[in-house]
Amino acid sequence: MASNMSGCILAIESSCDESAAAVISADGHVLSNVIHSQIDIHAEFGGVVPEVASRHHIHHVPEVAHEAIVQAGISFQNICCVASTIGPGLIGPLLVGSGYAKGLAISLGCDFLPVHHLEGHLWAACVDRNGQRARAWDGPPFLALIVSGGHTALYDYRGIGDIEILGETRDDAAGEAFDKSAKLMGLGYPGGVRISQLAEHGDANRFDFPIGLRQKNNLEFSFSGLKNAVRLAIEKHVSQKGELDYQLACDIAASLEKRIVDALILKTKNALKQTKRQTLVLGGGVVANRRLRHEMQQLAQKKGIMLKLPQPGFITDNAAMIGLAAHAYYRRGYRGQLSAKAAAWMPLDADRQSHFRVTT
Ligand code: KG4
Ligand code: ZN
């Protein structure tokens, strides 16, 4: 294994509406993790506007990078590699972040490393609550479940650059099911957090919402039926009572959350059976959901497997996760090519050999 780590990694994340930067030390500790969210700017549009996001990233990416350096207590001269998200995500925002990272790497005379956003979400699980690298865990092989606003999929992560997709959603992602249902309920954007807050006060068994592809013994997901079921439940109630009352909103939220979690547990169980992996890693914004975390912990306990969950601060989009993934590649001898192109669509199991050269 080639380590050759002579300094820190500065990581940049800008795939959606967060401008983020983080510094990871040579031994894999998170020294700083700075996020500038544009959430308030996009909330008034009911979703992220790509062009608006790009323009804000142009201002904020250099700012958060500088702030990450200051908070880490280092200088730009201590950086041996600038890493950035290269895809998937919104192309404008990706180009801003990766263009900045490449330019900075050239000006510092250091390495550049392009990181897959979803791989970042998975490596986020390798740090403990204090940002210290967990010593008991050195990575692959593991079964990976990604549950974010744009992706829901199971992967067999056999090793760096050796990932097989086992099944993904045929329609909406789990986060999308939360967000679209929240919009129907008038809860605003992004709705996942709001739904999970209401769900704490609701009856999860009041509505028997469907679980997509339940009968199939495969590893695919389907969540698009949920928003229609939520719409029908709202319409029925509003036609009878005139408006959506608080308790009903809580019951819908709890029933919706239960169904999404049930589907994720069911398919994860199938994948564990199929792959026989002993470690399960979860990544993506929906992993912030308390019910999902609790039920996954119970599943892991029952099956006697190791479960790796990202800690608060590392769950939704951040740059520490990008830096941690970069660190995993870098210490194995991977160096990035400046010719690596940002792309909106980039499957996690795609061949990315052209993004790298490997040192020995
Ligand atoms: O990974 P992420 O930050 O961005 C993407 O790459 O998509 O995930 C954002 C998603 C959104 O759909 C958001 O509603 C959802 O994560 N989310 C939650 C919770 N917190 C964030 N969903 C359910 N429960 C939560 N507590
Ligand atoms: Zn994400």
Side-chain angles (χ1 to χ4, degrees):
M1 188 182 290
S3 171
N4 298 336
M5 208 135 168
S6 56
C8 298
I9 293 176
L10 171 66
I12 307 293
E13 154 64 31
S14 67
S15 63
C16 192
D17 59 345
E18 256 98 32
S19 309
V23 174
I24 309 296
S25 67
D27 56 356
H29 290 163
V30 180
L31 300 185
S32 62
N33 190 21
V34 180
I35 303 179
H36 179 274
S37 176
Q38 304 175 11
I39 211 155
D40 295 342
I41 293 156
H42 299 283
E44 64 181 280
F45 301 105
V48 179
V49 184
E51 176 64 22
V52 174
S54 304
R55 288 170 187 230
H56 279 87
H57 283 307
I58 285 174
H59 292 295
H60 295 300
V61 165
E63 277 175 14
V64 290
H66 184 256
E67 184 59 28
I69 295 286
V70 171
Q71 285 189 20
I74 62 164
S75 77
F76 278 101
Q77 274 59 50
N78 301 120
I79 299 297
C80 67
C81 172
V82 186
S84 82
T85 307
I86 200 81
L90 301 172
I91 192 63
L94 285 168
L95 285 167
V96 174
S98 59
Y100 172 82
K102 287 176 186 178
L104 183 60
I106 291 169
S107 72
L108 293 175
C110 71
D111 291 306
F112 164 70
L113 203 55
V115 177
H116 194 289
H117 181 78
L118 299 182
E119 215 164 356
H121 273 302
L122 294 176
W123 284 95
C126 76
V127 285
D128 67 14
R129 211 172 279 272
N130 306 316
Q132 303 287 310
R133 193 178 185 84
R135 296 192 198 290
W137 189 61
D138 196 37
F142 53 80
L143 176 69
L145 173 65
I146 293 280
V147 263
S148 71
H151 299 86
T152 299
L154 281 156
Y155 301 91
D156 189 17
Y157 196 122
R158 293 188 283 246
I160 296 286
D162 184 12
I163 303 169
E164 183 194 353
I165 186 159
L166 301 171
E168 63 187 325
T169 182
R170 286 194 188 176
D171 38 60
D172 291 346
E176 240 177 318
F178 276 110
D179 295 341
K180 287 179 177 173
S181 300
K183 206 167 178 178
L184 288 171
M185 292 164 72
L187 299 177
Y189 166 85
V193 183
R194 195 72 191 104
I195 294 259
S196 63
Q197 286 163 346
L198 290 180
E200 304 226 345
H201 309 283
D203 173 4
N205 296 314
R206 175 155 173 196
F207 294 96
D208 191 18
F209 292 143
I211 294 185
L213 305 174
R214 174 184 220 148
Q215 301 78 2
K216 301 260 164 76
N217 198 23
N218 67 18
L219 305 177
E220 289 179 314
F221 302 87
S222 170
F223 293 107
S224 65
L226 275 172
K227 61 178 183 295
N228 295 327
V230 166
R231 180 185 292 120
L232 289 176
I234 295 170
E235 281 171 5
K236 187 172 166 207
H237 186 85
V238 170
S239 70
Q240 288 166 356
K241 302 259 171 92
E243 60 177 7
L244 186 66
D245 64 57
Y246 176 72
Q247 193 53 52
L248 187 94
C250 293
D251 292 347
I252 291 178
S255 305
L256 171 75
E257 182 186 71
K258 180 177 187 312
R259 283 326 211 191
I260 293 174
V261 172
D262 285 350
L264 295 168
I265 292 282
L266 176 73
K267 300 297 177 156
T268 302
K269 266 189 199 165
N270 289 348
L272 282 170
K273 203 165 145 192
Q274 189 174 308
T275 60
K276 305 203 168 33
R277 289 285 176 229
Q278 292 301 303
T279 304
L280 170 63
V281 179
L282 262 58
V286 181
V287 184
N289 187 273
R290 277 168 60 178
R291 187 182 193 111
L292 177 63
R293 293 175 83 88
H294 178 70
E295 297 216 2
M296 283 291 175
Q297 273 153 353
Q298 285 195 322
L299 175 69
Q301 219 168 26
K302 211 167 132 196
K303 301 271 176 207
I305 59 163
M306 182 191 274
L307 174 67
K308 301 295 296 180
L309 295 172
Q311 296 294 332
F314 301 95
I315 302 173
T316 48
D317 290 350
N318 65 87
M321 67 184 202
I322 302 304
L324 291 162
H327 187 269
Y329 273 72
Y330 198 89
R331 71 194 184 92
R332 288 169 173 83
Y334 283 77
R335 304 290 182 266
Q337 301 281 16
L338 290 170
S339 56
K341 283 193 176 66
W345 187 76
M346 189 182 286
L348 183 54
D349 57 336
D351 179 0
R352 292 210 297 128
Q353 285 309 312
S354 66
H355 284 184
F356 306 108
R357 60 193 164 84
V358 184
T359 61
T360 49

PDB file of all heavy atoms in Angstrom, residues 31 72 123 131 179 187 206-207 219 284 297 307 320 348 351:
ATOM      1  N   LEU A  31      -9.847  17.774  10.591  1.00  0.00           N
ATOM      2  CA  LEU A  31      -9.330  18.946  11.309  1.00  0.00           C
ATOM      3  C   LEU A  31     -10.300  20.120  11.216  1.00  0.00           C
ATOM      4  O   LEU A  31     -10.323  20.990  12.075  1.00  0.00           O
ATOM      5  CB  LEU A  31      -7.954  19.354  10.760  1.00  0.00           C
ATOM      6  CG  LEU A  31      -6.836  18.300  10.860  1.00  0.00           C
ATOM      7  CD1 LEU A  31      -5.512  18.893  10.381  1.00  0.00           C
ATOM      8  CD2 LEU A  31      -6.696  17.776  12.282  1.00  0.00           C
ATOM      9  N   ALA A  72      -8.502  24.695  10.680  1.00  0.00           N
ATOM     10  CA  ALA A  72      -7.622  23.535  10.876  1.00  0.00           C
ATOM     11  C   ALA A  72      -6.285  23.960  11.501  1.00  0.00           C
ATOM     12  O   ALA A  72      -5.508  23.106  11.948  1.00  0.00           O
ATOM     13  CB  ALA A  72      -7.378  22.829   9.550  1.00  0.00           C
ATOM     14  N   TRP A 123     -17.787   6.857   3.001  1.00  0.00           N
ATOM     15  CA  TRP A 123     -16.589   7.009   3.834  1.00  0.00           C
ATOM     16  C   TRP A 123     -16.836   7.917   5.029  1.00  0.00           C
ATOM     17  O   TRP A 123     -16.055   7.932   5.983  1.00  0.00           O
ATOM     18  CB  TRP A 123     -15.394   7.465   2.993  1.00  0.00           C
ATOM     19  CG  TRP A 123     -14.841   6.327   2.182  1.00  0.00           C
ATOM     20  CD1 TRP A 123     -15.145   6.016   0.891  1.00  0.00           C
ATOM     21  CD2 TRP A 123     -13.934   5.308   2.633  1.00  0.00           C
ATOM     22  NE1 TRP A 123     -14.485   4.876   0.506  1.00  0.00           N
ATOM     23  CE2 TRP A 123     -13.730   4.422   1.553  1.00  0.00           C
ATOM     24  CE3 TRP A 123     -13.274   5.054   3.835  1.00  0.00           C
ATOM     25  CZ2 TRP A 123     -12.893   3.303   1.641  1.00  0.00           C
ATOM     26  CZ3 TRP A 123     -12.445   3.949   3.927  1.00  0.00           C
ATOM     27  CH2 TRP A 123     -12.266   3.087   2.845  1.00  0.00           C
ATOM     28  N   GLY A 131     -14.906  13.335  15.260  1.00  0.00           N
ATOM     29  CA  GLY A 131     -14.133  13.596  14.051  1.00  0.00           C
ATOM     30  C   GLY A 131     -12.826  12.825  14.043  1.00  0.00           C
ATOM     31  O   GLY A 131     -11.965  13.036  13.198  1.00  0.00           O
ATOM     32  N   ASP A 179     -39.413  14.295   0.569  1.00  0.00           N
ATOM     33  CA  ASP A 179     -39.520  15.698   0.153  1.00  0.00           C
ATOM     34  C   ASP A 179     -40.809  15.988  -0.619  1.00  0.00           C
ATOM     35  O   ASP A 179     -41.461  17.011  -0.408  1.00  0.00           O
ATOM     36  CB  ASP A 179     -38.308  16.096  -0.707  1.00  0.00           C
ATOM     37  CG  ASP A 179     -37.009  16.046   0.090  1.00  0.00           C
ATOM     38  OD1 ASP A 179     -37.070  16.060   1.329  1.00  0.00           O
ATOM     39  OD2 ASP A 179     -35.931  15.974  -0.534  1.00  0.00           O
ATOM     40  N   LEU A 187     -45.290  21.462   3.852  1.00  0.00           N
ATOM     41  CA  LEU A 187     -44.257  21.598   4.891  1.00  0.00           C
ATOM     42  C   LEU A 187     -42.999  22.294   4.410  1.00  0.00           C
ATOM     43  O   LEU A 187     -42.068  22.492   5.180  1.00  0.00           O
ATOM     44  CB  LEU A 187     -43.876  20.208   5.434  1.00  0.00           C
ATOM     45  CG  LEU A 187     -45.004  19.407   6.092  1.00  0.00           C
ATOM     46  CD1 LEU A 187     -44.502  18.036   6.506  1.00  0.00           C
ATOM     47  CD2 LEU A 187     -45.531  20.161   7.303  1.00  0.00           C
ATOM     48  N   ARG A 206     -51.645   4.192  11.360  1.00  0.00           N
ATOM     49  CA  ARG A 206     -52.953   4.729  10.952  1.00  0.00           C
ATOM     50  C   ARG A 206     -53.199   4.537   9.453  1.00  0.00           C
ATOM     51  O   ARG A 206     -54.314   4.237   9.039  1.00  0.00           O
ATOM     52  CB  ARG A 206     -53.050   6.206  11.318  1.00  0.00           C
ATOM     53  CG  ARG A 206     -54.335   6.824  10.812  1.00  0.00           C
ATOM     54  CD  ARG A 206     -54.751   8.011  11.606  1.00  0.00           C
ATOM     55  NE  ARG A 206     -55.897   8.676  11.002  1.00  0.00           N
ATOM     56  CZ  ARG A 206     -56.283   9.898  11.316  1.00  0.00           C
ATOM     57  NH1 ARG A 206     -55.631  10.578  12.250  1.00  0.00           N
ATOM     58  NH2 ARG A 206     -57.327  10.452  10.725  1.00  0.00           N
ATOM     59  N   PHE A 207     -52.164   4.733   8.652  1.00  0.00           N
ATOM     60  CA  PHE A 207     -52.324   4.584   7.193  1.00  0.00           C
ATOM     61  C   PHE A 207     -51.481   3.418   6.691  1.00  0.00           C
ATOM     62  O   PHE A 207     -50.293   3.324   7.020  1.00  0.00           O
ATOM     63  CB  PHE A 207     -51.899   5.864   6.467  1.00  0.00           C
ATOM     64  CG  PHE A 207     -52.789   7.031   6.768  1.00  0.00           C
ATOM     65  CD1 PHE A 207     -52.443   7.939   7.755  1.00  0.00           C
ATOM     66  CD2 PHE A 207     -53.987   7.197   6.088  1.00  0.00           C
ATOM     67  CE1 PHE A 207     -53.278   9.009   8.065  1.00  0.00           C
ATOM     68  CE2 PHE A 207     -54.827   8.259   6.382  1.00  0.00           C
ATOM     69  CZ  PHE A 207     -54.469   9.169   7.385  1.00  0.00           C
ATOM     70  N   LEU A 219     -33.509  -6.751  -5.250  1.00  0.00           N
ATOM     71  CA  LEU A 219     -32.940  -5.706  -4.399  1.00  0.00           C
ATOM     72  C   LEU A 219     -33.257  -4.316  -4.935  1.00  0.00           C
ATOM     73  O   LEU A 219     -32.563  -3.358  -4.640  1.00  0.00           O
ATOM     74  CB  LEU A 219     -31.425  -5.925  -4.284  1.00  0.00           C
ATOM     75  CG  LEU A 219     -31.041  -7.325  -3.777  1.00  0.00           C
ATOM     76  CD1 LEU A 219     -29.538  -7.506  -3.753  1.00  0.00           C
ATOM     77  CD2 LEU A 219     -31.612  -7.585  -2.388  1.00  0.00           C
ATOM     78  N   GLY A 284     -25.787   8.948   3.117  1.00  0.00           N
ATOM     79  CA  GLY A 284     -26.807   9.784   2.466  1.00  0.00           C
ATOM     80  C   GLY A 284     -27.653  10.501   3.503  1.00  0.00           C
ATOM     81  O   GLY A 284     -27.752  10.053   4.651  1.00  0.00           O
ATOM     82  N   GLN A 297     -29.925  -0.469  13.469  1.00  0.00           N
ATOM     83  CA  GLN A 297     -29.140  -0.953  14.611  1.00  0.00           C
ATOM     84  C   GLN A 297     -29.704  -2.271  15.121  1.00  0.00           C
ATOM     85  O   GLN A 297     -28.965  -3.202  15.443  1.00  0.00           O
ATOM     86  CB  GLN A 297     -29.127   0.094  15.741  1.00  0.00           C
ATOM     87  CG  GLN A 297     -28.000   1.101  15.572  1.00  0.00           C
ATOM     88  CD  GLN A 297     -28.268   2.447  16.199  1.00  0.00           C
ATOM     89  OE1 GLN A 297     -29.376   2.724  16.677  1.00  0.00           O
ATOM     90  NE2 GLN A 297     -27.271   3.319  16.182  1.00  0.00           N
ATOM     91  N   LEU A 307     -22.303  -2.484  11.983  1.00  0.00           N
ATOM     92  CA  LEU A 307     -23.036  -1.425  11.282  1.00  0.00           C
ATOM     93  C   LEU A 307     -22.263  -0.120  11.415  1.00  0.00           C
ATOM     94  O   LEU A 307     -21.897   0.282  12.524  1.00  0.00           O
ATOM     95  CB  LEU A 307     -24.432  -1.252  11.900  1.00  0.00           C
ATOM     96  CG  LEU A 307     -25.264  -0.084  11.375  1.00  0.00           C
ATOM     97  CD1 LEU A 307     -25.647  -0.297   9.910  1.00  0.00           C
ATOM     98  CD2 LEU A 307     -26.530   0.098  12.223  1.00  0.00           C
ATOM     99  N   ALA A 320     -16.110  16.986   4.612  1.00  0.00           N
ATOM    100  CA  ALA A 320     -15.270  16.028   5.351  1.00  0.00           C
ATOM    101  C   ALA A 320     -15.396  14.646   4.707  1.00  0.00           C
ATOM    102  O   ALA A 320     -14.409  13.919   4.551  1.00  0.00           O
ATOM    103  CB  ALA A 320     -15.694  15.978   6.812  1.00  0.00           C
ATOM    104  N   LEU A 348     -22.083   4.867  -9.345  1.00  0.00           N
ATOM    105  CA  LEU A 348     -21.007   4.542  -8.386  1.00  0.00           C
ATOM    106  C   LEU A 348     -20.176   3.353  -8.849  1.00  0.00           C
ATOM    107  O   LEU A 348     -18.998   3.235  -8.506  1.00  0.00           O
ATOM    108  CB  LEU A 348     -21.633   4.273  -7.001  1.00  0.00           C
ATOM    109  CG  LEU A 348     -20.696   3.975  -5.840  1.00  0.00           C
ATOM    110  CD1 LEU A 348     -19.640   5.059  -5.669  1.00  0.00           C
ATOM    111  CD2 LEU A 348     -21.480   3.821  -4.543  1.00  0.00           C
ATOM    112  N   ASP A 351     -16.658   2.556 -14.293  1.00  0.00           N
ATOM    113  CA  ASP A 351     -15.199   2.450 -14.350  1.00  0.00           C
ATOM    114  C   ASP A 351     -14.620   3.875 -14.337  1.00  0.00           C
ATOM    115  O   ASP A 351     -14.851   4.649 -15.260  1.00  0.00           O
ATOM    116  CB  ASP A 351     -14.804   1.712 -15.640  1.00  0.00           C
ATOM    117  CG  ASP A 351     -13.297   1.586 -15.769  1.00  0.00           C
ATOM    118  OD1 ASP A 351     -12.582   2.068 -14.872  1.00  0.00           O
ATOM    119  OD2 ASP A 351     -12.834   1.007 -16.770  1.00  0.00           O
TER     120      ASP A 351
END
